Amino acid sequence: MKYSIADMRRNYTRDGLVESQAPDDPYSLFGLWFGQAVEVESTEPNAMMLATVDGNGQPHLRTLLLKGFDEQGFVFFTNYQSAKSEQLLAHPVAAMTFWWPDLERQVRIEGRVEQVGDEESDQYFHSRPLGSRLGAWTSPQSQVISGREELAQRLAEVEARYADEDPPRPPHWGGFRLLPQMIEFWQGRPSRLHDRLRYRLENGQWLRERLAP
Ligand SMILES: Cc1cc2nc3c(=O)[nH]c(=O)nc-3n(C[C@H](O)[C@H](O)[C@H](O)COP(=O)(O)O)c2cc1C
């Protein structure tokens, strides 16, 4: 197939985001947009990009699944010995971006990060399918491994260990919560004159500002 990357573009016409219709707090707007993404987006509306930073100031970015949100923050789960967790434990700040192409919307969230409590991690871990629970024990996430055979062998060992009991949550697996200081809502508009409303937490109050696209 012949294509020209330079000519690939879309004119966004679906919707607008104006101050008169935007709530005062970003959580209800996120809830509204997330609900609409669940209805409209065909694949994984809870997929987002999570950026972390290491000691050299090098950013690292990868896709994760959001597993909960409320006024406390935005929760995801991972291996606490992974590269991202090492970065988060040493530098507890992160940025998260959702891109919902069918809605022509982006949401960016930035703030501090903390580990969720054991109870919250346990509760989510035990809601996962058995294969995922065994996988959490099997995969030394982010480490170099010799090949798929190593994973297969580790999985066989884990399956044998938990043949007669429910696998407990590994101590090295659990959640983080991003506590937002900033949430920006982006709605695509025609001719690249998009809407951007940024909510910033200042002295415990959310301030709303419009940014140029
Ligand atoms: C759609 C999608 C969802 C993912 N969800 C998660 C997740 O919820 N938790 C996780 O640890 N990794 C998830 N991953 C894998 C991560 O992108 C990444 O490869 C892994 O966490 C290791 O990252 P790190 O080496 O930077 O720690 C997902 C990948 C994709 C493509």
Side-chain angles (χ1 to χ4, degrees):
M1 188 179 34
K2 256 180 93 93
Y3 58 81
S4 157
I5 296 181
D7 289 337
M8 287 179 186
R9 63 176 64 81
R10 189 164 133 191
N11 194 36
Y12 302 118
T13 57
R14 195 177 197 277
D15 214 338
L17 177 62
V18 290
E19 284 79 347
S20 59
Q21 287 165 1
D24 288 338
D25 82 284
Y27 296 109
S28 41
L29 186 52
F30 186 86
L32 179 71
W33 278 25
F34 192 81
Q36 291 168 343
V38 170
E39 279 170 27
V40 166
E41 298 291 337
S42 51
T43 46
E44 303 202 285
N46 59 332
M48 46 81 177
M49 305 292 288
L50 181 86
T52 52
V53 69
D54 69 20
N56 297 320
Q58 169 70 47
H60 300 266
L61 187 63
R62 78 290 282 160
T63 311
L64 298 188
L65 295 179
L66 183 76
K67 287 292 164 179
F69 68 89
D70 59 19
E71 300 205 352
Q72 310 283 309
F74 295 79
V75 176
F76 54 90
F77 291 88
T78 192
N79 184 313
Y80 283 147
Q81 293 167 348
S82 65
K84 81 180 80 51
S85 295
E86 239 172 63
Q87 291 144 19
L88 287 170
L89 293 170
H91 308 280
V93 290
M96 198 180 261
T97 299
F98 295 83
W99 164 231
W100 292 311
D102 292 339
L103 292 171
E104 303 175 350
R105 286 173 177 168
Q106 169 183 250
V107 178
R108 296 168 58 176
I109 306 172
E110 296 171 5
R112 284 190 304 109
V113 169
E114 57 184 36
Q115 280 177 280
V116 308
D118 285 343
E119 207 177 303
E120 194 171 343
S121 288
D122 282 341
Q123 200 174 10
Y124 174 64
F125 184 79
H126 291 291
S127 76
R128 304 175 86 211
L130 178 62
S132 307
R133 281 179 281 147
L134 294 172
W137 279 103
T138 302
S139 170
Q141 193 177 53
S142 313
Q143 288 180 28
V144 175
I145 53 173
S146 55
R148 278 211 74 85
E149 309 73 46
E150 186 179 332
L151 276 186
Q153 194 188 333
R154 290 176 69 111
L155 177 61
E157 286 163 15
V158 166
E159 280 174 336
R161 197 181 328 146
Y162 296 113
D164 301 323
E165 55 167 320
D166 229 20
R169 176 174 63 88
H172 59 264
W173 193 98
F176 286 99
R177 176 175 279 105
L178 174 58
L179 315 173
Q181 289 287 329
M182 191 290 294
I183 307 185
E184 183 204 312
F185 297 85
W186 182 103
Q187 176 73 60
R189 299 294 298 266
S191 306
R192 300 298 185 250
L193 296 179
H194 315 299
D195 287 325
R196 297 177 67 187
L197 291 186
R198 179 178 70 185
Y199 292 75
R200 252 185 329 117
L201 200 53
E202 214 171 82
N203 302 323
Q205 301 278 359
W206 285 105
L207 286 184
R208 196 183 61 203
E209 298 158 317
R210 175 167 288 262
L211 301 181

